[in-house]
Amino acid sequence: PPRDIWGELQLRIFRKRGAVGLTMTPIGRPVEWLRELIEADKVSAHFAGLTPENCTPIGALFPFVSQEEIDTLSDLLLPHERAQRLEGAWHGAPEGRIFEAYDPDSMYGDFSPSGKYKIGIGIDHGGGASKQVSVLVAISRLELGRGRVWVIDESIADGPTTPEDDARDILDMLSRNGLSTKDVDFWRGDRPYPGRRGVGSKSNSLLERVLSRKARSRHRFRIMHPRKFPGSVEYGSRIIHSCMIRDEFKVRT
C-alpha cells in the first residue's frame, strides 16, 4: 500500500495494540518508504526466496513446487524481475535486453500464420516521422505460457500525417496482404494524440470514421483502447518473452 494507507492502518489498530502483516512482491509500487522503516528497525522483515525448501510444509516429505517447475517459471519471467519474484529482492537488475530470447535468425523469415488464429491491427498515434505506426499481426490463443504470434506487416510514417493519410496507409497494408477491414478481428489504438496546439489531433474514433469512408464498406468495426492496469506493460512483455522462448514469435520479412 502507499505510505498514507499504512499510517492509517496503524491508527486503526492502535487502541487494541494490534499488528499489521504484509506479504508482498515489490514490483510496480513505491517501496522505499517501507524499506526505510525496516532499516530504522521500526518494522520487522523476513525474506524468502522461491526454493523447494521454502515450499515444503512442516512435516511434509516433498515440496509442492519442484526445482524443475521453478526453473520453468524463471524462463517465463523477464530478466529484470527474476530477483524480485524468485529471491525476494527489493529491486530488479535492468541489465541487458528485456527480451533475452530475441533471435532474428530464428524469428525473421517468410512466415505465414497456421492453425486457428485471429487477425489484429495495433495503432500508435503520432504526428511526426516514425511516430505514427500501425502493425498487422496474427495470434493464436494468447496467455502466459502458451500462444503464438506472427507479425505480418507494419506501416511507419516517414513524416507528419493526417488521419486520412493514416487510414490510407492501413488500407494499403491490408490490401498488399490480401485482406480488408472485414478480415480484422480486433483493433487496438493508442490514447488520443492532441497534436501541436490542437492542430493535427488524432484519435481512434476519428480514424474509424475515415477508415470506414475510405474502405467504402458497411462493415462496422471499433478501434478499442488497450487495457491498461498496474503492471500491464510488464505482463504483456512477459507473454511476448514466453513466446520467444518457445520459438513461437515470428516476424515476416
Side-chain angles (χ1 to χ4, degrees), residues 112-171:
S112 296
S114 59
K116 293 182 179 181
Y117 59 86
K118 291 186 177 182
I119 296 293
I121 286 185
I123 304 161
D124 188 4
H125 300 303
S130 301
K131 299 297 184 180
Q132 173 71 31
V133 179
S134 301
V135 61
L136 176 65
V137 300
I139 65 169
S140 68
R141 182 176 180 178
L142 196 57
E143 58 189 40
L144 188 58
R146 61 182 300 180
R148 305 181 70 186
V149 177
W150 298 267
V151 181
I152 301 173
D153 204 345
E154 65 181 359
S155 172
I156 303 177
D158 57 6
T161 61
T162 64
E164 287 75 13
D165 296 326
D166 301 336
R168 182 198 63 233
D169 291 342
I170 291 173
L171 292 175

Side-chain angles (χ1 to χ4, degrees), residues 86-108:
L86 301 181
E87 303 169 14
W90 281 108
H91 298 288
E95 299 177 359
R97 296 175 174 174
I98 292 179
F99 301 114
E100 62 183 3
Y102 178 84
D103 181 10
D105 291 337
S106 63
M107 290 167 47
Y108 287 43

Side-chain angles (χ1 to χ4, degrees), residues 61-111:
L61 297 177
F62 303 101
F64 57 82
V65 176
S66 67
Q67 186 60 54
E68 183 180 1
E69 291 172 317
I70 294 173
D71 292 341
T72 299
L73 174 62
S74 178
D75 289 339
L76 295 177
L77 295 173
L78 299 174
H80 68 271
E81 64 179 357
R82 285 178 185 146
Q84 293 165 289
R85 295 195 180 277
L86 301 181
E87 303 169 14
W90 281 108
H91 298 288
E95 299 177 359
R97 296 175 174 174
I98 292 179
F99 301 114
E100 62 183 3
Y102 178 84
D103 181 10
D105 291 337
S106 63
M107 290 167 47
Y108 287 43
D110 187 19
F111 299 110

Side-chain angles (χ1 to χ4, degrees), residues 190-202:
D190 201 6
R191 299 295 178 181
Y193 170 73
R196 295 182 177 181
R197 298 181 181 179
V199 178
S201 59
K202 299 180 179 181

Side-chain angles (χ1 to χ4, degrees), residues 163-164 201-211:
E164 287 75 13
S201 59
K202 299 180 179 181
S203 68
N204 292 337
S205 58
L206 178 59
L207 184 58
E208 280 176 22
R209 294 195 295 270
V210 179
L211 273 170

